[in-house]
Every structure is written in structure tokens, then in C-alpha cells.
Amino acid sequence: MKKMNIFKIALTLVMVFAISGAFAQILTDYDETNATDMYQTTGTTFRLYALPDPIYSPTYVAAANAPLGVNSEWEWNYPIALTGAPATATPAAQNWVEFTVTPIGIHAITVEESNTLTGCGDATPISQTVNIVAAPTATITTGDAVAYCGDQVAQAVSISFVENVPDANAAFGFAVQELVEEIDGADAWIATVSTTDIFVDFTLAAKAKFPADLAGGTPNYTYGFNTSALTVSSNNRTRYTYTLLEASDAGVGSDGIISAISQKSDYIDGLQTYAFTDDNVVFIVNPAPVTGPIYHIGNLTNY
């Protein structure tokens, strides 16, 4: 082999490795490869992108996902339970597929690149495992306690989260509101003592995560917090209500849980919340009755 040919081959390999190194991500956030199983919330739209072969798309820029080689095609193959475009087993001149019907289950999706000019196709398709999971749920599992007599110490409250994801991906954004009210003997409102909308607040930017904040393990996680000390206000029966709310930075407009997986699953459709199952717990502290004097007919009544 001539020295020049060896040099050309070496230069080509350097170019290939350099381009591949620049392809650490596609677009902005598509940066995890098929080496990691994917998790997606059911009912949401998602895309998969295949990295183009640098030989046939030599000027490809990952940040723009363009330009693709004029003769390059990709064939995606996936189960009929999924609805995607391009359709399964249908070569198309785009290196991505978008799924709009996403039932719960474990789905194997493959892609192979081919070239209409050369007639060559990859004999070893790349496979991605996609786990479509149910939307996350959040429930306050602590029961109401409405018959406390007098002031009480802070009470423990437990919240249950269910999401079938690996522990390393378990993270939830939510808040807890504390509402303190004075009520009468028939539970009717007398006055509001205080309202604290972020008594607990795990923002979307800093979710409650396993294991720092959450106990348990996939798919069942728990978070616990303590109420304020339960004190009687102005000698009236006093009601403390703790209610689950969406995270303070969610900005969605309706109360509900958002997980790390559900948030990333909304990348295309836009952020949504998932309704809490049982969203509050109530504690009532009652002033102890003060027994009045005993009355009887006066001894001097008929004196």
C-alpha cells in the first residue's frame, strides 16, 4: 500500500473520531444513548434520534440536527402497540421518529441507516429499550385526627409516591400548604389564623430525590414531614389542614404531582401535572371544656 493511501486512511479515521466526539448530544437535550434504557410517561409524545454516519453526512451539525446526507435513509422498527411517524419498517430521509400513542409496557425499538446511492444498509440495527410507565401518583397516607384535647406537639405526616422507575430516577416536585382556622362546635368556620402555601416546597428545580429525601424503593416511595405544633387559637376549636399542591415553580395552574420522568416526558407536549389521589390531612385541637358550677334550689327559697 502506498504511503499516501495510508495517510489518507489515517486522516479519514481522525476525521471520523473527531466528528463522533462532537456528537455528544443531538439538538439541546438529546444526550443519552441507547446504552441506557429510556423511561417515558404513558400518554406523552416523544422522539428518538439516530446519530448519522459521518461518512454519508460529513457536514452534519448536532446542535441543528442538520444537514443530513442527501442519500441517507433510516428505517425504524417498533411494536404495533406504538404509533409513530415514520411508520414502522418504512425507510425515510429523516433520522428521527416521533411516537404519539404510548401504552404502558417495555418496547424494543430499532433503527438502521441505509444509503440510496450505494444501496448499502447497516446489517446490525441499533436497539433502544423504552419503558412506558404509568403517570406518577402522590397520596397523603396519614389519617385525620380531629379529637385532640388541648395543645399537641407536632405530628408526623407521610406522603406516598408511586412511579415504576429506577431509584436513581425517582424525584418529585410538589408543595404542601398549611391552613390554620378557628371553627365552632359544628365545624363551621370562624376565622383564618394563617395560610402557608409552601409549608413544604420541593421545586421542579430541586425535587425530592431518593435516597436523600425519599424512603422506600421502586415503585413505592415515601416522604415524611412534621406539622407545626398544634395549639388552640383564642380558646376556639382549631383546625390544621395540610394539602398537597404543585411545586411553587411549576406554573401549570392546576394542582398535581410532577416527577423527573414525567417532566422530561412532557418535553414535546408541554408541562402537565397529575392529580393527587388523597391530597390532605386534617387535625383538630379542641379546648378542654371548663366545667361550670353546680346549681340547686337554694336552701333559703322557702325560708
Side-chain angles (χ1 to χ4, degrees):
M1 182 179 293
K2 293 182 179 180
K3 182 177 181 180
M4 181 61 70
N5 289 340
I6 294 174
F7 175 76
K8 287 181 178 179
I9 292 172
L11 185 61
T12 299
L13 289 174
V14 168
M15 181 186 72
V16 169
F17 289 133
I19 292 175
S20 297
F23 287 168
Q25 67 180 31
I26 296 178
L27 299 176
T28 303
D29 297 311
Y30 291 81
D31 57 3
E32 196 164 56
T33 71
N34 57 285
T36 301
D37 287 359
M38 176 182 168
Y39 285 81
Q40 182 81 11
T41 303
T42 187
T44 58
T45 302
F46 72 93
R47 289 183 180 182
L48 298 177
Y49 285 81
L51 183 67
D53 186 309
I55 297 298
Y56 295 105
S57 298
T59 59
Y60 175 78
V61 176
N65 192 45
L68 301 175
V70 294
N71 299 304
S72 296
E73 289 188 331
W74 289 264
E75 180 180 313
W76 296 88
N77 287 271
Y78 48 87
I80 60 173
L82 298 172
T83 297
T88 186
T90 304
Q94 66 180 56
N95 66 326
W96 54 271
V97 61
E98 180 172 289
F99 295 99
T100 52
V101 176
T102 54
I104 294 173
I106 302 174
H107 306 285
I109 300 169
T110 62
V111 62
E112 59 182 273
E113 183 175 345
S114 59
N115 190 278
T116 57
L117 177 65
T118 66
C120 295
D122 190 347
T124 308
I126 297 296
S127 179
Q128 174 71 63
T129 298
V130 179
N131 297 267
I132 307 296
V133 299
T137 63
T139 306
I140 291 181
T141 55
T142 302
D144 296 344
V146 299
Y148 287 126
C149 291
D151 296 346
Q152 304 292 314
V153 298
Q155 303 296 303
V157 176
S158 182
I159 305 173
S160 170
F161 301 93
V162 178
E163 189 177 40
N164 192 17
V165 298
D167 290 345
N169 299 122
F172 303 95
F174 67 98
V176 176
Q177 178 197 70
E178 178 191 68
L179 174 63
V180 184
E181 303 166 292
E182 295 174 8
I183 57 176
D184 65 16
D187 292 343
W189 177 86
I190 296 174
T192 297
V193 178
S194 64
T195 303
T196 306
D197 284 337
I198 52 171
F199 186 80
V200 172
D201 188 26
F202 283 102
T203 64
L204 300 187
K207 298 178 179 69
K209 299 179 174 67
F210 181 90
D213 310 302
L214 305 173
T218 184
N220 300 301
Y221 303 93
T222 59
Y223 172 78
F225 69 94
N226 291 326
T227 69
S228 297
L230 307 180
T231 58
V232 174
S233 174
S234 300
N235 206 36
N236 286 309
R237 300 178 69 224
T238 308
R239 179 170 59 202
Y240 291 77
T241 304
Y242 294 88
T243 303
L244 286 169
L245 302 177
E246 67 190 34
S248 62
D249 61 346
V252 178
S254 61
D255 298 335
I257 188 66
I258 300 173
S259 73
I261 291 298
S262 75
Q263 185 178 359
K264 80 99 181 182
S265 297
D266 292 332
Y267 186 85
I268 292 177
D269 295 331
L271 189 63
Q272 62 179 310
T273 60
Y274 295 92
F276 300 116
T277 306
D278 189 349
D279 66 351
N280 67 50
V281 60
V282 175
F283 302 97
I284 297 177
V285 287
N286 304 282
V290 177
T291 305
I294 297 173
Y295 285 77
H296 61 90
I297 297 174
N299 294 329
L300 299 176
T301 297
N302 292 320
Y303 185 77

